[in-house]
Amino acid sequence: MTFSRSTKTLLRKLEVSHDENLTYKELFLSNDDLLPVPSHKRTWKAWNFIAFWVADSFNINTWMIVSSMVQLGLSWWQAWICVWIGYSVVAPFIVLNARPGAMHHITFPVVARTSFGLWGSLWPVFNRGVMACIWYGVQASIGGTCVLVMLRAMWPSVNNIPNHLPASSGTTTRDFMCFFLFWLISLPAIWFPIHKIRHLFTVKAAVVPVAGITFFIWCIVKAHGVGPIIHQPSTLHGSQLGWNMVASLMSCISNMATLVTNAPDFASRATYPSATVWPQLISVPLGFSIVSFIGIIVSSSSQTIYGEAIWSPIDLLGKFLDNDPSHATRFGVWFIAAAFIIAQLGTNISANSISAGCDLTALFPQYINIRRGGFIAAIVGICMLPWNLLKSSNNFSSYLSAYSVFLSSIAGVMISEYWLVRRGHYRVKDLYTLDKKGWYYYTYGINFRAYAAYISGILINVVGFAGATGRTVPIAATHIYQMSFFTGFGVSALIYCLLNYFYPPRGSHLVGSKFEERDVGAEGGGAEEDRESANEKTDEKESEKADVLVYTQA
């Protein structure tokens, strides 16, 4: 009995802040980080979203994205066109899925409830959370290589640290030390809430582009020109060229599938909804295209300098440190490597840590908030031994391509729910209640229309995925899989709209043919009036608790 009481006491202390009047089941729907963001935390303005995407585009993956296209046989300008088209096409999807978050100030896991149901949303949230944890470890491993170059620039003997780890570990003492250092310096950034972490992206947007342009000019001067890749023609023609360009631009889109899915996470902190529109539509294609262009020129120059194209900026900086470099060279490498550390840190926080925090919060709202979820992602990132994943890059790339199919089908359902099925109509209070008459309770908390559409979007790409793993499949299936984001998104959206047309969901009689963004539940003494009434009766220190009561009482 004593053990049982102590256990209960411990579990009680581990709980995050929530309304004490909630039932056991309602504790799975709400905590402070799942409720609509209060006005004082809506601090993201238009320039914050611009800084966010400028910062997010400056990372090693974007720098190297053209390398695989050139290796396929495309010329540099054909590859760069693919980058422009790919990121220009994916930007509207980010804006479309971010809209409900910006309008109603709720994160991705809560937005997913509108289409998949209160309990049905847990599976897509789990999918996105797993992806975020895996990517956190991978990006941290890449960040470790940046730390190694920076330390080598300061103390060249770091490169000669003896290895005391067995071969089965998959790494060395030196590399693990650098990985752990990057992992360690990332922890303080996880502590900051979303509405304050925008300052990190502002710093990154100011520092990293300067380092990238410095690297760009340095390589051109060192090579006395832009190098041979710029003059290298395409080796492909006809339909083969066309389909390889399609596959290349789809790799850009698939690379963004994770950020399309959880776009509401950051949009929920927007000061006003329009801040999430043009800033993202413009900065996404512009930022990623400029970074990839810098990567092309630097890699082309490296071929003149070293006789081979070195696409990884970290590997190229490491080359600069070979053969007893000057103090000026070492300082330049140190500055650029330090900037890449900031770049990887910002990318890991924006794309992975915060996403994992939001997702894990929805899975275990009684004990996890966004901050705790971010730290859990960091722990998973180190326990999964990410350097082993990066060793077999082909298998890892195939896995990521397959996972983008799952995410595009989720996005297809979510976007069509808001824009086509409900036409902007929301009922925010029903997102936090188990009332069977609520809009999003559906069938025992699960919307089977959404799951039918979601599975359909996956099935159309199954045969093509088998071909990507080495099986012999029809060429048509291969082409369908090459366009997996569009096929998965399109099929899931179409099936979802048809099912809702023939089997209208609860509340559809309130949705007319006109698109109108409004919270139906707030009309006639709903959520917003309840919030104002509660605020009048409580002091400023209790305002946050009032927000909890408004949105969790059905």
Side-chain angles (χ1 to χ4, degrees):
M1 180 65 70
T2 304
F3 176 77
S4 177
R5 286 179 179 175
S6 61
T7 302
K8 289 181 179 179
T9 302
L10 176 61
L11 291 176
R12 189 71 175 172
K13 289 182 178 180
L14 290 175
E15 290 182 359
V16 299
S17 177
H18 59 74
D19 179 18
E20 297 295 332
N21 297 319
L22 296 177
T23 65
Y24 181 75
K25 286 186 177 180
E26 288 173 336
L27 286 173
F28 284 94
L29 293 178
S30 177
N31 69 18
D32 287 357
D33 281 345
L34 288 174
L35 292 172
V37 178
S39 57
H40 69 276
K41 292 184 178 180
R42 302 171 194 168
T43 56
W44 282 58
K45 299 180 181 179
W47 68 271
N48 292 122
F49 284 95
I50 293 173
F52 171 81
W53 285 111
V54 169
D56 194 73
S57 64
F58 267 90
N59 63 71
I60 295 174
N61 289 337
T62 307
W63 189 285
M64 296 176 61
I65 198 166
V66 170
S67 63
S68 59
M69 305 179 192
V70 172
Q71 290 167 6
L72 280 175
L74 272 61
S75 66
W76 77 271
W77 62 268
Q78 289 170 339
W80 200 40
I81 287 176
C82 291
V83 173
W84 269 106
I85 295 175
Y87 286 104
S88 296
V89 167
V90 81
F93 288 95
I94 295 173
V95 172
L96 290 173
N97 206 31
R99 187 66 178 184
M103 284 296 301
H104 303 287
H105 309 288
I106 50 179
T107 56
F108 156 67
V110 183
V111 174
R113 294 175 184 176
T114 64
S115 50
F116 286 89
L118 297 176
W119 302 131
S121 64
L122 296 180
W123 173 249
V125 169
F126 172 78
N127 271 261
R128 180 63 186 95
V130 168
M131 191 64 159
C133 290
I134 291 173
W135 263 114
Y136 187 96
V138 170
Q139 293 285 8
S141 184
I142 296 172
T145 62
C146 302
V147 172
L148 173 59
V149 172
M150 188 185 75
L151 292 179
R152 280 188 62 196
M154 293 188 292
W155 303 292
S157 59
V158 167
N159 203 42
N160 302 319
I161 292 177
N163 180 37
H164 299 290
L165 295 176
S168 59
S169 67
T171 186
T172 64
T173 301
R174 180 200 66 184
D175 292 346
F176 180 77
M177 177 194 73
C178 295
F179 166 81
F180 184 76
L181 286 174
F182 181 85
W183 182 87
L184 199 62
I185 63 176
S186 300
L187 297 183
I190 299 176
W191 179 264
F192 292 96
I194 299 178
H195 66 284
K196 291 184 178 179
I197 198 63
R198 70 189 191 280
H199 299 306
L200 171 63
F201 305 130
T202 302
V203 171
K204 180 182 172 181
V207 174
V208 180
V210 172
I213 294 171
T214 301
F215 198 11
F216 174 79
I217 296 173
W218 190 8
C219 288
I220 292 177
V221 172
K222 198 175 181 70
H224 303 291
V226 293
I229 291 180
I230 296 299
H231 308 291
Q232 181 177 306
S234 171
T235 59
L236 303 174
H237 305 282
S239 62
Q240 187 180 10
L241 171 61
W243 279 108
N244 278 355
M245 289 188 72
V246 168
S248 297
L249 68 89
M250 287 305 302
S251 68
C252 300
I253 297 173
S254 297
N255 191 41
M256 296 288 284
T258 54
L259 290 166
V260 169
T261 308
N262 71 295
D265 288 344
F266 293 100
S268 65
R269 269 66 183 175
T271 305
Y272 41 90
S274 60
T276 65
V277 183
W278 286 109
Q280 299 195 100
L281 284 175
I282 296 173
S283 57
V284 169
L286 188 63
F288 284 86
S289 298
I290 290 175
V291 174
S292 66
F293 177 76
I294 293 174
I296 293 169
I297 300 301
V298 169
S299 301
S300 181
S301 300
S302 71
Q303 189 164 346
T304 300
I305 301 169
Y306 294 107
E308 60 176 330
I310 303 173
W311 288 98
S312 168
I314 299 303
D315 291 345
L316 182 55
L317 288 172
K319 283 273 192 182
F320 285 1
L321 294 176
D322 293 339
N323 303 319
D324 194 23
S326 66
H327 291 294
T329 297
R330 287 170 56 187
F331 175 78
V333 170
W334 175 87
F335 171 70
I336 297 171
F340 273 114
I341 290 173
I342 298 173
Q344 287 302 115
L345 172 61
T347 299
N348 221 7
I349 296 298
S350 64
N352 305 315
S353 172
I354 289 176
S355 175
C358 292
D359 299 337
L360 293 174
T361 296
L363 296 176
F364 306 99
Q366 189 174 356
Y367 297 102
I368 297 179
N369 54 24
I370 294 176
R371 178 180 292 160
R372 292 183 184 182
F375 285 119
I376 290 172
I379 293 171
V380 173
I382 195 172
C383 291
M384 61 178 275
L385 310 180
W387 46 86
N388 288 328
L389 281 178
L390 293 173
K391 278 185 177 179
S392 55
S393 57
N394 291 334
N395 292 337
F396 184 58
S397 298
S398 299
Y399 163 77
L400 291 180
S401 298
Y403 220 92
S404 69
V405 174
F406 289 85
L407 297 179
S408 65
S409 297
I410 293 171
V413 171
M414 291 177 63
I415 290 176
S416 58
E417 159 73 20
Y418 184 79
W419 293 93
L420 300 176
V421 175
R422 300 286 186 180
R423 297 184 182 89
H425 294 70
Y426 245 59
R427 196 172 176 86
V428 174
K429 66 180 183 180
D430 285 355
L431 292 167
Y432 305 97
T433 176
L434 290 171
D435 185 354
K436 294 181 180 180
K437 295 181 180 180
W439 277 18
Y440 311 115
Y441 189 79
Y442 295 107
T443 306
Y444 300 107
I446 301 173
N447 185 5
F448 290 102
R449 306 171 191 80
Y451 272 91
Y454 165 68
I455 293 171
S456 299
I458 295 172
L459 289 178
I460 194 172
N461 290 292
V462 166
V463 178
F465 173 68
T469 61
R471 306 284 182 88
T472 302
V473 299
I475 188 65
T478 300
H479 291 331
I480 289 174
Y481 182 69
Q482 286 177 327
M483 299 185 294
S484 59
F485 182 88
F486 290 119
T487 52
F489 181 96
V491 169
S492 63
L494 176 62
I495 297 297
Y496 188 68
C497 289
L498 288 175
L499 289 175
N500 279 278
Y501 178 79
F502 290 109
Y503 304 98
R506 185 178 291 109
S508 57
H509 64 284
L510 298 175
V511 179
S513 58
K514 180 182 178 182
F515 180 85
E516 186 178 4
E517 295 180 286
R518 61 191 179 99
D519 180 5
V520 177
E523 298 172 359
E528 290 300 324
E529 292 186 14
D530 288 346
R531 177 194 286 273
E532 292 176 4
S533 176
N535 284 343
E536 289 176 359
K537 297 178 181 179
T538 57
D539 58 22
E540 187 175 358
K541 294 182 179 178
E542 293 296 318
S543 62
E544 189 170 352
K545 185 175 181 180
D547 290 338
V548 175
L549 292 172
V550 168
Y551 287 101
T552 54
Q553 292 177 343

